[in-house]
Each structure stands twice: as C-alpha cells, then as structure tokens.
Amino acid sequence: QVQLVESGGGLVQAGGSLRLSCAASGRTLDPYVMAWFRQAPGREREFVPSISSSGSSTDYLQSVKGHFTISRDNDKNTVYLQMNSLKPEDTAIYYCAAGPSTTWSAASARRYDYWGQGTQVTVSS
C-alpha cells in the first residue's frame, strides 16, 4: 500500500508562486507514474501534470505549460509541483496520484491507484 500526503498549499496573490510536495510512505515511488490533479468548486477534477517513473518524461495541461513544473526525487520518495505566475483560475484543491505504468493516457484519473487527501491552493486577484 502507498500513502500519499500533499503539502505546500496556501493563499497567494496573482502572479505569485507556490511549491507543492507529495510525500509517500508504505513503499517507494520509483515504480510509479505520478500526477497532480485539481478540482475547483463546481468543476470536474482535471489533470494538471504527470511524470514518468524515471522522471525523464512529463506531460502538462496546456494552460499551465511554461508556468508549472513537475519533478520527483525518488531518493526522498517525494514529488513536487512548482507553480509560477499563478492566476485566480488556478484556485483548486490539488491532489497527488500514483499509478503503475500502463498504456492508458497519463491524464486519465482511473489509471491511478493511490491518491492523497489534497491541499488547497487559493490565488487572489
């Protein structure tokens, strides 16, 4: 079993930055594809970024390309999401997810077996 705990959320003004962390316990993260999803009030949960088990490949939601960066440190069993140039539209609960390597799209929530409890990100105007 894998337990995931997100941290680093908070309140920030538009144009500011936050760095989210996802720490794992129970087993190592190195075999897993990792991703971040977010859900804003009244909206569906949406894919944000993913990173391959080795860290060599990443994918991003189009609207956050160039502003968000996903990374991982397998030695620390932690995944990060650096968020720069934040906009009010980025306000949401952000969830960390882990899943095995499959042929499913990295953006598909159903491919992930383990989820964190979420961390709130609020961007003010």
Side-chain angles (χ1 to χ4, degrees):
Q1 294 292 306
V2 177
Q3 295 81 45
L4 303 175
V5 179
E6 304 95 334
S7 62
L11 175 64
V12 64
Q13 293 183 340
S17 299
L18 286 173
R19 190 191 193 197
L20 306 184
S21 297
C22 174
S25 62
R27 62 177 298 167
T28 60
L29 288 179
D30 55 335
Y32 295 101
V33 174
M34 302 297 299
W36 291 89
F37 288 76
R38 67 186 181 186
Q39 188 165 20
R43 299 175 64 182
E44 296 290 328
R45 185 172 298 189
E46 68 176 350
F47 167 83
V48 187
S50 66
I51 187 166
S52 63
S53 59
S54 68
S56 62
S57 179
T58 58
D59 194 21
Y60 292 90
L61 178 68
Q62 178 65 31
S63 64
V64 305
K65 276 188 173 180
H67 304 288
F68 288 15
T69 303
I70 187 172
S71 62
R72 66 192 299 161
D73 187 336
N74 287 343
D75 290 336
K76 295 182 178 179
N77 226 26
T78 302
V79 178
Y80 305 96
L81 181 63
Q82 179 67 45
M83 304 186 294
N84 298 326
S85 301
L86 282 162
K87 305 171 183 177
E89 307 91 83
D90 296 317
T91 295
I93 300 174
Y94 283 71
Y95 298 90
C96 179
S101 179
T102 72
T103 57
W104 291 82
S105 170
S108 177
R110 62 182 179 271
R111 70 166 289 165
Y112 298 97
D113 299 317
Y114 307 103
W115 294 80
Q117 82 292 342
T119 185
Q120 177 70 48
V121 172
T122 303
V123 184
S124 63
S125 301

mmCIF file of all heavy atoms in Angstrom, residues 15-19 38 48-49 60-70 81-87 89-90 94:
data_model
loop_
_atom_site.group_PDB
_atom_site.id
_atom_site.type_symbol
_atom_site.label_atom_id
_atom_site.label_comp_id
_atom_site.label_asym_id
_atom_site.label_seq_id
_atom_site.Cartn_x
_atom_site.Cartn_y
_atom_site.Cartn_z
ATOM 1 N N GLY A 15 0.101 36.091 -9.767
ATOM 2 C CA GLY A 15 1.470 36.328 -10.173
ATOM 3 C C GLY A 15 2.498 35.704 -9.258
ATOM 4 O O GLY A 15 3.681 35.643 -9.608
ATOM 5 N N GLY A 16 2.062 35.230 -8.113
ATOM 6 C CA GLY A 16 2.959 34.617 -7.154
ATOM 7 C C GLY A 16 3.233 33.161 -7.452
ATOM 8 O O GLY A 16 2.786 32.606 -8.461
ATOM 9 N N SER A 17 3.951 32.519 -6.535
ATOM 10 C CA SER A 17 4.377 31.136 -6.724
ATOM 11 C C SER A 17 4.122 30.306 -5.482
ATOM 12 O O SER A 17 4.101 30.816 -4.355
ATOM 13 C CB SER A 17 5.874 31.071 -7.050
ATOM 14 O OG SER A 17 6.180 31.751 -8.250
ATOM 15 N N LEU A 18 3.930 29.021 -5.702
ATOM 16 C CA LEU A 18 3.836 28.037 -4.637
ATOM 17 C C LEU A 18 4.531 26.769 -5.093
ATOM 18 O O LEU A 18 4.585 26.480 -6.294
ATOM 19 C CB LEU A 18 2.389 27.706 -4.285
ATOM 20 C CG LEU A 18 1.574 28.725 -3.494
ATOM 21 C CD1 LEU A 18 0.118 28.267 -3.419
ATOM 22 C CD2 LEU A 18 2.143 28.908 -2.094
ATOM 23 N N ARG A 19 5.033 26.015 -4.135
ATOM 24 C CA ARG A 19 5.609 24.714 -4.423
ATOM 25 C C ARG A 19 4.898 23.664 -3.586
ATOM 26 O O ARG A 19 4.973 23.687 -2.362
ATOM 27 C CB ARG A 19 7.105 24.686 -4.114
ATOM 28 C CG ARG A 19 7.807 23.427 -4.631
ATOM 29 C CD ARG A 19 9.209 23.320 -4.087
ATOM 30 N NE ARG A 19 9.989 22.320 -4.793
ATOM 31 C CZ ARG A 19 11.123 21.791 -4.339
ATOM 32 N NH1 ARG A 19 11.611 22.191 -3.168
ATOM 33 N NH2 ARG A 19 11.772 20.885 -5.057
ATOM 34 N N ARG A 38 -6.434 18.529 -10.077
ATOM 35 C CA ARG A 38 -7.022 19.594 -9.270
ATOM 36 C C ARG A 38 -8.525 19.648 -9.494
ATOM 37 O O ARG A 38 -9.033 19.254 -10.542
ATOM 38 C CB ARG A 38 -6.386 20.952 -9.587
ATOM 39 C CG ARG A 38 -6.669 21.476 -10.984
ATOM 40 C CD ARG A 38 -5.878 22.747 -11.239
ATOM 41 N NE ARG A 38 -6.138 23.296 -12.555
ATOM 42 C CZ ARG A 38 -5.493 24.330 -13.080
ATOM 43 N NH1 ARG A 38 -4.529 24.935 -12.384
ATOM 44 N NH2 ARG A 38 -5.801 24.769 -14.290
ATOM 45 N N VAL A 48 -3.429 17.869 -14.334
ATOM 46 C CA VAL A 48 -2.555 19.031 -14.429
ATOM 47 C C VAL A 48 -1.197 18.657 -15.035
ATOM 48 O O VAL A 48 -0.854 19.130 -16.113
ATOM 49 C CB VAL A 48 -2.387 19.735 -13.068
ATOM 50 C CG1 VAL A 48 -1.608 21.037 -13.237
ATOM 51 C CG2 VAL A 48 -3.749 20.018 -12.443
ATOM 52 N N PRO A 49 -0.352 17.834 -14.348
ATOM 53 C CA PRO A 49 0.858 17.315 -14.946
ATOM 54 C C PRO A 49 1.067 15.858 -14.556
ATOM 55 O O PRO A 49 0.441 15.338 -13.628
ATOM 56 C CB PRO A 49 1.967 18.156 -14.299
ATOM 57 C CG PRO A 49 1.474 18.317 -12.878
ATOM 58 C CD PRO A 49 -0.007 18.005 -12.903
ATOM 59 N N TYR A 60 1.774 17.964 -19.510
ATOM 60 C CA TYR A 60 1.126 19.064 -18.825
ATOM 61 C C TYR A 60 -0.197 19.433 -19.464
ATOM 62 O O TYR A 60 -0.364 19.333 -20.685
ATOM 63 C CB TYR A 60 2.007 20.316 -18.849
ATOM 64 C CG TYR A 60 3.266 20.213 -18.038
ATOM 65 C CD1 TYR A 60 4.441 19.738 -18.606
ATOM 66 C CD2 TYR A 60 3.288 20.595 -16.697
ATOM 67 C CE1 TYR A 60 5.604 19.646 -17.859
ATOM 68 C CE2 TYR A 60 4.447 20.505 -15.945
ATOM 69 C CZ TYR A 60 5.602 20.033 -16.531
ATOM 70 O OH TYR A 60 6.765 19.944 -15.799
ATOM 71 N N LEU A 61 -1.105 19.882 -18.626
ATOM 72 C CA LEU A 61 -2.283 20.569 -19.112
ATOM 73 C C LEU A 61 -1.816 21.795 -19.902
ATOM 74 O O LEU A 61 -0.919 22.521 -19.468
ATOM 75 C CB LEU A 61 -3.151 20.999 -17.931
ATOM 76 C CG LEU A 61 -4.417 21.788 -18.202
ATOM 77 C CD1 LEU A 61 -5.455 20.923 -18.905
ATOM 78 C CD2 LEU A 61 -4.985 22.328 -16.890
ATOM 79 N N GLN A 62 -2.417 22.020 -21.055
ATOM 80 C CA GLN A 62 -1.971 23.079 -21.945
ATOM 81 C C GLN A 62 -1.907 24.440 -21.250
ATOM 82 O O GLN A 62 -0.958 25.205 -21.447
ATOM 83 C CB GLN A 62 -2.884 23.159 -23.177
ATOM 84 C CG GLN A 62 -2.532 24.266 -24.154
ATOM 85 C CD GLN A 62 -1.191 24.063 -24.806
ATOM 86 O OE1 GLN A 62 -0.755 22.925 -25.022
ATOM 87 N NE2 GLN A 62 -0.518 25.159 -25.125
ATOM 88 N N SER A 63 -2.888 24.747 -20.428
ATOM 89 C CA SER A 63 -2.971 26.064 -19.826
ATOM 90 C C SER A 63 -1.875 26.349 -18.795
ATOM 91 O O SER A 63 -1.657 27.508 -18.438
ATOM 92 C CB SER A 63 -4.344 26.278 -19.180
ATOM 93 O OG SER A 63 -4.547 25.380 -18.111
ATOM 94 N N VAL A 64 -1.191 25.319 -18.305
ATOM 95 C CA VAL A 64 -0.147 25.528 -17.301
ATOM 96 C C VAL A 64 1.255 25.334 -17.858
ATOM 97 O O VAL A 64 2.232 25.520 -17.131
ATOM 98 C CB VAL A 64 -0.339 24.626 -16.070
ATOM 99 C CG1 VAL A 64 -1.726 24.816 -15.480
ATOM 100 C CG2 VAL A 64 -0.086 23.161 -16.405
ATOM 101 N N LYS A 65 1.368 24.981 -19.121
ATOM 102 C CA LYS A 65 2.683 24.812 -19.728
ATOM 103 C C LYS A 65 3.474 26.116 -19.666
ATOM 104 O O LYS A 65 2.963 27.182 -19.977
ATOM 105 C CB LYS A 65 2.559 24.359 -21.186
ATOM 106 C CG LYS A 65 2.389 22.879 -21.362
ATOM 107 C CD LYS A 65 2.477 22.492 -22.828
ATOM 108 C CE LYS A 65 2.476 20.987 -23.004
ATOM 109 N NZ LYS A 65 2.563 20.599 -24.432
ATOM 110 N N GLY A 66 4.713 25.998 -19.251
ATOM 111 C CA GLY A 66 5.567 27.164 -19.112
ATOM 112 C C GLY A 66 5.462 27.842 -17.771
ATOM 113 O O GLY A 66 6.287 28.715 -17.462
ATOM 114 N N HIS A 67 4.473 27.461 -16.963
ATOM 115 C CA HIS A 67 4.277 28.068 -15.650
ATOM 116 C C HIS A 67 4.419 27.056 -14.516
ATOM 117 O O HIS A 67 4.883 27.412 -13.433
ATOM 118 C CB HIS A 67 2.904 28.734 -15.572
ATOM 119 C CG HIS A 67 2.660 29.758 -16.637
ATOM 120 N ND1 HIS A 67 3.289 30.986 -16.642
ATOM 121 C CD2 HIS A 67 1.887 29.726 -17.746
ATOM 122 C CE1 HIS A 67 2.904 31.678 -17.700
ATOM 123 N NE2 HIS A 67 2.050 30.929 -18.382
ATOM 124 N N PHE A 68 3.999 25.821 -14.755
ATOM 125 C CA PHE A 68 4.083 24.768 -13.752
ATOM 126 C C PHE A 68 5.164 23.772 -14.146
ATOM 127 O O PHE A 68 5.352 23.482 -15.331
ATOM 128 C CB PHE A 68 2.758 24.006 -13.643
ATOM 129 C CG PHE A 68 1.634 24.758 -12.989
ATOM 130 C CD1 PHE A 68 1.686 26.123 -12.790
ATOM 131 C CD2 PHE A 68 0.508 24.067 -12.565
ATOM 132 C CE1 PHE A 68 0.641 26.807 -12.197
ATOM 133 C CE2 PHE A 68 -0.550 24.736 -11.964
ATOM 134 C CZ PHE A 68 -0.480 26.104 -11.782
ATOM 135 N N THR A 69 5.841 23.218 -13.150
ATOM 136 C CA THR A 69 6.858 22.208 -13.390
ATOM 137 C C THR A 69 6.702 21.073 -12.387
ATOM 138 O O THR A 69 6.725 21.311 -11.181
ATOM 139 C CB THR A 69 8.275 22.788 -13.271
ATOM 140 O OG1 THR A 69 8.433 23.875 -14.189
ATOM 141 C CG2 THR A 69 9.314 21.715 -13.595
ATOM 142 N N ILE A 70 6.551 19.858 -12.892
ATOM 143 C CA ILE A 70 6.509 18.689 -12.027
ATOM 144 C C ILE A 70 7.899 18.065 -11.986
ATOM 145 O O ILE A 70 8.607 18.028 -12.990
ATOM 146 C CB ILE A 70 5.457 17.663 -12.504
ATOM 147 C CG1 ILE A 70 5.305 16.533 -11.485
ATOM 148 C CG2 ILE A 70 5.785 17.122 -13.886
ATOM 149 C CD1 ILE A 70 4.140 15.585 -11.779
ATOM 150 N N LEU A 81 5.395 19.955 -7.271
ATOM 151 C CA LEU A 81 4.779 20.756 -8.316
ATOM 152 C C LEU A 81 5.119 22.210 -8.044
ATOM 153 O O LEU A 81 4.600 22.804 -7.093
ATOM 154 C CB LEU A 81 3.263 20.561 -8.365
ATOM 155 C CG LEU A 81 2.537 21.346 -9.461
ATOM 156 C CD1 LEU A 81 2.995 20.892 -10.845
ATOM 157 C CD2 LEU A 81 1.028 21.193 -9.327
ATOM 158 N N GLN A 82 6.003 22.765 -8.854
ATOM 159 C CA GLN A 82 6.344 24.174 -8.766
ATOM 160 C C GLN A 82 5.361 24.957 -9.618
ATOM 161 O O GLN A 82 5.240 24.703 -10.817
ATOM 162 C CB GLN A 82 7.775 24.415 -9.254
ATOM 163 C CG GLN A 82 8.209 25.874 -9.229
ATOM 164 C CD GLN A 82 8.319 26.426 -7.827
ATOM 165 O OE1 GLN A 82 8.871 25.781 -6.951
ATOM 166 N NE2 GLN A 82 7.788 27.624 -7.609
ATOM 167 N N MET A 83 4.681 25.907 -9.013
ATOM 168 C CA MET A 83 3.659 26.685 -9.697
ATOM 169 C C MET A 83 4.065 28.150 -9.683
ATOM 170 O O MET A 83 4.120 28.776 -8.619
ATOM 171 C CB MET A 83 2.296 26.500 -9.034
ATOM 172 C CG MET A 83 1.857 25.040 -8.935
ATOM 173 S SD MET A 83 0.171 24.857 -8.301
ATOM 174 C CE MET A 83 0.404 25.462 -6.630
ATOM 175 N N ASN A 84 4.343 28.690 -10.853
ATOM 176 C CA ASN A 84 4.723 30.085 -11.009
ATOM 177 C C ASN A 84 3.652 30.838 -11.785
ATOM 178 O O ASN A 84 2.847 30.239 -12.488
ATOM 179 C CB ASN A 84 6.063 30.202 -11.739
ATOM 180 C CG ASN A 84 7.196 29.555 -10.999
ATOM 181 O OD1 ASN A 84 7.244 29.556 -9.773
ATOM 182 N ND2 ASN A 84 8.150 28.999 -11.751
ATOM 183 N N SER A 85 3.678 32.148 -11.668
ATOM 184 C CA SER A 85 2.721 33.013 -12.370
ATOM 185 C C SER A 85 1.289 32.550 -12.149
ATOM 186 O O SER A 85 0.503 32.405 -13.086
ATOM 187 C CB SER A 85 3.049 33.054 -13.872
ATOM 188 O OG SER A 85 4.358 33.545 -14.095
ATOM 189 N N LEU A 86 0.955 32.328 -10.910
ATOM 190 C CA LEU A 86 -0.362 31.802 -10.576
ATOM 191 C C LEU A 86 -1.471 32.789 -10.909
ATOM 192 O O LEU A 86 -1.300 34.001 -10.786
ATOM 193 C CB LEU A 86 -0.420 31.435 -9.102
ATOM 194 C CG LEU A 86 0.266 30.116 -8.748
ATOM 195 C CD1 LEU A 86 0.536 30.043 -7.255
ATOM 196 C CD2 LEU A 86 -0.593 28.941 -9.192
ATOM 197 N N LYS A 87 -2.593 32.236 -11.328
ATOM 198 C CA LYS A 87 -3.776 33.005 -11.690
ATOM 199 C C LYS A 87 -4.944 32.581 -10.815
ATOM 200 O O LYS A 87 -4.953 31.465 -10.288
ATOM 201 C CB LYS A 87 -4.133 32.765 -13.163
ATOM 202 C CG LYS A 87 -3.008 33.032 -14.139
ATOM 203 C CD LYS A 87 -3.390 32.566 -15.543
ATOM 204 C CE LYS A 87 -2.246 32.749 -16.511
ATOM 205 N NZ LYS A 87 -2.582 32.238 -17.867
ATOM 206 N N GLU A 89 -7.667 31.497 -11.706
ATOM 207 C CA GLU A 89 -8.213 30.279 -12.294
ATOM 208 C C GLU A 89 -7.513 29.017 -11.805
ATOM 209 O O GLU A 89 -8.022 27.917 -12.001
ATOM 210 C CB GLU A 89 -8.128 30.331 -13.826
ATOM 211 C CG GLU A 89 -8.748 31.564 -14.447
ATOM 212 C CD GLU A 89 -7.738 32.684 -14.603
ATOM 213 O OE1 GLU A 89 -6.983 32.678 -15.598
ATOM 214 O OE2 GLU A 89 -7.715 33.577 -13.724
ATOM 215 N N ASP A 90 -6.349 29.160 -11.189
ATOM 216 C CA ASP A 90 -5.624 28.018 -10.646
ATOM 217 C C ASP A 90 -6.120 27.619 -9.262
ATOM 218 O O ASP A 90 -5.658 26.617 -8.710
ATOM 219 C CB ASP A 90 -4.125 28.316 -10.576
ATOM 220 C CG ASP A 90 -3.506 28.532 -11.942
ATOM 221 O OD1 ASP A 90 -3.823 27.769 -12.874
ATOM 222 O OD2 ASP A 90 -2.684 29.471 -12.080
ATOM 223 N N TYR A 94 -5.631 20.573 -4.846
ATOM 224 C CA TYR A 94 -4.686 19.822 -5.657
ATOM 225 C C TYR A 94 -4.418 18.467 -5.027
ATOM 226 O O TYR A 94 -4.105 18.371 -3.840
ATOM 227 C CB TYR A 94 -3.375 20.601 -5.812
ATOM 228 C CG TYR A 94 -3.485 21.730 -6.803
ATOM 229 C CD1 TYR A 94 -4.229 22.867 -6.508
ATOM 230 C CD2 TYR A 94 -2.860 21.651 -8.053
ATOM 231 C CE1 TYR A 94 -4.354 23.894 -7.429
ATOM 232 C CE2 TYR A 94 -2.973 22.675 -8.967
ATOM 233 C CZ TYR A 94 -3.724 23.798 -8.652
ATOM 234 O OH TYR A 94 -3.838 24.820 -9.572
#
